[in-house]
Amino acid sequence: MAKTQTSYSCNSCGATFTKWSGRCDGCGEWNSIVEDKPLSSGPASKSLGASRGKGLSLTDLSTEEAPPQRTICGMSELDRVLGGGLVPGSAILVGGDPGIGKSTLLLQAAARFSNSGLDTIYISGEEAAAQVRMRAQRLGLTDAPVRLAADTNLRNILTTLDAERPQLAIIDSIQTMWADNVDSAPGSVSQVRAAAHELTTFAKTRGISVVLVGHVTKDGQIAGPRVVEHMVDTVLYFEGERGHQFRILRAVKNRFGPADEIGVFEMTGGGLSEVLNPSALFLSDREEPAPGSVVFAGIEGTRPVLVEFQALVAPSPHSQPRRSVLGWDGGRLAMILAVLEARCGIPFAGLDVYLNVAGGMKVSDPAADLAVAAALLSAREDASLPKDTVVFGEISLSGALRPVGQTENRLKEAQKLGFTSVIAPARSKTGSDPGIGVQKMTDLAGFVGEIFGAG
Ligand code: TYD
Ligand code: MG
């Protein structure tokens, strides 16, 4: 008889391996690989081709079905991130660091959806029902017709959902769920994967929408939400810095709407409140223009958002100068520094560079390149940019500035917030009357010469 092969899988991304190693080749996480316990010790099954399956009935692509009737909960930030409301029978994963506010968000969402007429069940595997009720009381939600239970046994939960047939079920969290037919501890890759699979297929076949809450883990003790990302229709991440009150709900995958859409919330004593004008919030602490500070006119999803980049450049006491970045991509920073050196003759060797997005926002828009370059130069030359100016544009390796999408929306947002001039790549589609002063630049060297009189 063949020897049973031990297999290993990564708690973070779910990749499987035949050998243990300290670092996962799939996602690069350290200490996340654990041994998989076999599900059953029966003989290896024969090839499926040998047995006779049932013939599938095949259809064509044409449809008479109406598009799904979405339910709007009234929290417009959440409705937009979902792609315009909740689609019946959809499976949604909400991931985020512990303590970031997932349970708060979902309890508020449950209340809103149930008030909009959706039969909603909230199942807490982490807190006792009394604790959830206390939270609801603090949030002023006790009147909402949400039905609540606290349990972690998947069999009990599925039986309950089957009997009650709600339209929306919220499972908080997937890592506490325990399927008794799987022979490993709750929170392990096998358990999380099995529970998510059972819940999503159950929900799909019965037309119940299901929201799974998943903790992002750093220590690898429990499986992270990436293990279930591919099983659901929509993946939302709830992000934010603990010290800041802003929280950003970001769609990273959505079968029913645009990905990269964001919703902005503020954590207050009375729960999460929506931030309908995030630009005003992100720029609210801005004082007079200072060296190293540049306002970027960005687009997040379908919405323009102005954020402030802050840079600090200082002589380095280290042989290897520091490059520290918060809220932006570190690799992209290295690229901008290299282009500034190679194409504009401005070296950063021997200088520590710190770059930060104010307010705890994470920026992924490639148009931030020019704003970052401007912040770095402004910090290095100790010269502030002209007052009331916003910047955007992508930088190519040749040092040329490339136009970016949604220029008019960026200009409109800048104008709305009282900015009077914009620095943008040449060939940007600004329209005939942009309503704001636009300075167009063809390349980075020209920008450096024009704005900082150097280069
Ligand atoms: P929680 O929703 O429990 O986080 P998660 O489910 O992601 O682990 O949020 C917990 C934090 O939110 C906690 O540190 C306290 C804070 N909080 C408020 O600031 N205001 C509130 O009204 C509530 C309910 C929580
Ligand atoms: Mg929670």
Side-chain angles (χ1 to χ4, degrees), residues 320-395:
Q320 187 82 286
R322 290 201 61 160
R323 304 284 181 251
S324 166
V325 40
L326 244 164
W328 205 53
D329 179 20
R332 200 93 191 161
L333 173 66
M335 188 202 102
I336 303 291
L337 292 171
V339 173
L340 279 169
E341 176 149 9
R343 307 293 175 198
C344 311
I346 300 174
F348 282 81
L351 296 170
D352 283 338
V353 174
Y354 299 88
L355 182 76
N356 178 21
V357 180
M361 173 81 178
K362 280 195 190 121
V363 175
S364 52
D365 185 352
D369 290 355
L370 189 57
V372 170
L376 294 173
L377 285 164
S378 162
R380 189 182 185 279
E381 307 294 318
D382 200 23
S384 357
L385 229 62
K387 199 170 176 288
D388 295 335
T389 299
V390 300
V391 178
F392 63 87
E394 192 177 341
I395 298 176

Side-chain angles (χ1 to χ4, degrees), residues 9-83:
S9 58
C10 170
N11 265 337
S12 172
C13 69
T16 50
F17 304 95
T18 51
K19 274 207 310 237
W20 188 88
S21 68
R23 183 166 188 258
C24 171
D25 285 340
C27 62
E29 197 72 45
W30 288 94
N31 290 329
S32 62
I33 295 185
V34 291
E35 184 180 335
D36 279 334
K37 295 278 184 325
L39 293 185
S40 68
S41 48
S45 60
K46 282 186 290 179
S47 154
L48 280 181
S51 63
R52 281 197 169 271
K54 188 171 69 139
L56 305 176
S57 68
L58 304 169
T59 66
D60 58 23
L61 294 175
S62 65
T63 173
E64 264 99 58
E65 278 167 48
Q69 278 290 324
R70 294 173 182 255
T71 307
I72 305 276
C73 75
M75 262 171 140
S76 59
E77 294 296 296
L78 175 62
D79 288 329
R80 201 189 44 253
V81 173
L82 288 172

Side-chain angles (χ1 to χ4, degrees), residues 77-423:
E77 294 296 296
L78 175 62
D79 288 329
R80 201 189 44 253
V81 173
L82 288 172
L86 181 74
V87 173
S90 61
I92 298 160
L93 171 70
V94 177
D97 287 321
I100 204 72
K102 300 181 294 299
S103 302
T104 309
L105 176 73
L106 288 168
L107 193 59
Q108 288 182 252
R112 293 292 195 110
F113 276 117
S114 66
N115 282 331
S116 313
L118 220 59
D119 183 6
T120 305
I121 291 189
Y122 186 101
I123 300 201
S124 175
E126 302 199 333
E127 290 161 294
Q131 275 176 296
V132 181
R133 278 198 293 269
M134 258 158 62
R135 186 194 296 249
Q137 191 173 29
R138 257 189 68 192
L139 299 172
L141 304 174
T142 41
D143 292 338
V146 177
R147 296 192 285 159
L148 173 70
D151 204 334
T152 56
N153 185 321
L154 193 62
R155 206 179 279 274
N156 296 347
I157 290 169
L158 290 174
T159 308
T160 309
L161 294 181
D162 200 27
E164 302 292 336
R165 293 295 170 104
Q167 288 160 297
L168 170 62
I170 295 172
I171 310 291
D172 186 5
S173 66
I174 189 67
Q175 281 112 341
T176 53
M177 293 299 131
W178 173 68
D180 54 19
N181 59 338
V182 176
D183 182 18
S184 57
S188 64
V189 173
S190 333
Q191 280 287 355
V192 168
R193 203 184 275 160
H197 182 256
E198 291 273 356
L199 282 162
T200 50
T201 45
F202 173 85
K204 276 268 136 67
T205 49
R206 289 168 179 73
I208 299 173
S209 303
V210 51
V211 176
L212 309 177
V213 174
H215 291 295
V216 170
T217 59
K218 298 266 181 325
D219 57 6
Q221 289 299 305
I222 52 174
R226 286 176 68 179
V227 172
V228 289
E229 274 185 359
H230 65 279
M231 290 183 214
V232 295
D233 301 306
T234 302
V235 177
L236 309 179
Y237 277 97
F238 205 38
E239 315 170 332
E241 300 289 326
R242 281 288 184 88
H244 286 104
Q245 72 272 40
F246 315 131
R247 297 286 182 272
I248 291 166
L249 186 66
R250 188 185 294 273
V252 296
K253 161 180 168 181
N254 195 351
R255 290 193 181 132
F256 306 114
D260 288 333
E261 192 66 81
I262 64 162
V264 185
F265 297 87
E266 193 176 355
M267 184 59 101
T268 67
L272 289 155
S273 61
E274 296 177 71
V275 175
L276 300 175
N277 188 348
S279 304
L281 187 75
F282 288 129
L283 298 181
S284 60
D285 315 329
R286 222 165 87 82
E287 296 131 26
E288 283 300 291
S293 148
V294 169
V295 178
F296 164 54
I299 299 281
E300 291 291 334
T302 55
R303 185 159 61 160
V305 180
L306 302 191
V307 289
E308 183 188 352
F309 273 97
Q310 300 169 338
L312 178 69
V313 175
S316 178
H318 312 287
S319 57
Q320 187 82 286
R322 290 201 61 160
R323 304 284 181 251
S324 166
V325 40
L326 244 164
W328 205 53
D329 179 20
R332 200 93 191 161
L333 173 66
M335 188 202 102
I336 303 291
L337 292 171
V339 173
L340 279 169
E341 176 149 9
R343 307 293 175 198
C344 311
I346 300 174
F348 282 81
L351 296 170
D352 283 338
V353 174
Y354 299 88
L355 182 76
N356 178 21
V357 180
M361 173 81 178
K362 280 195 190 121
V363 175
S364 52
D365 185 352
D369 290 355
L370 189 57
V372 170
L376 294 173
L377 285 164
S378 162
R380 189 182 185 279
E381 307 294 318
D382 200 23
S384 357
L385 229 62
K387 199 170 176 288
D388 295 335
T389 299
V390 300
V391 178
F392 63 87
E394 192 177 341
I395 298 176
S396 68
L397 287 179
S398 67
L401 298 187
R402 279 208 292 251
V404 290
Q406 305 207 39
T407 295
E408 289 186 48
N409 284 341
R410 297 175 200 262
L411 299 186
K412 253 190 237 143
E413 182 76 359
Q415 202 183 358
K416 201 170 89 190
L417 281 130
F419 289 86
T420 52
S421 78
V422 170
I423 302 175

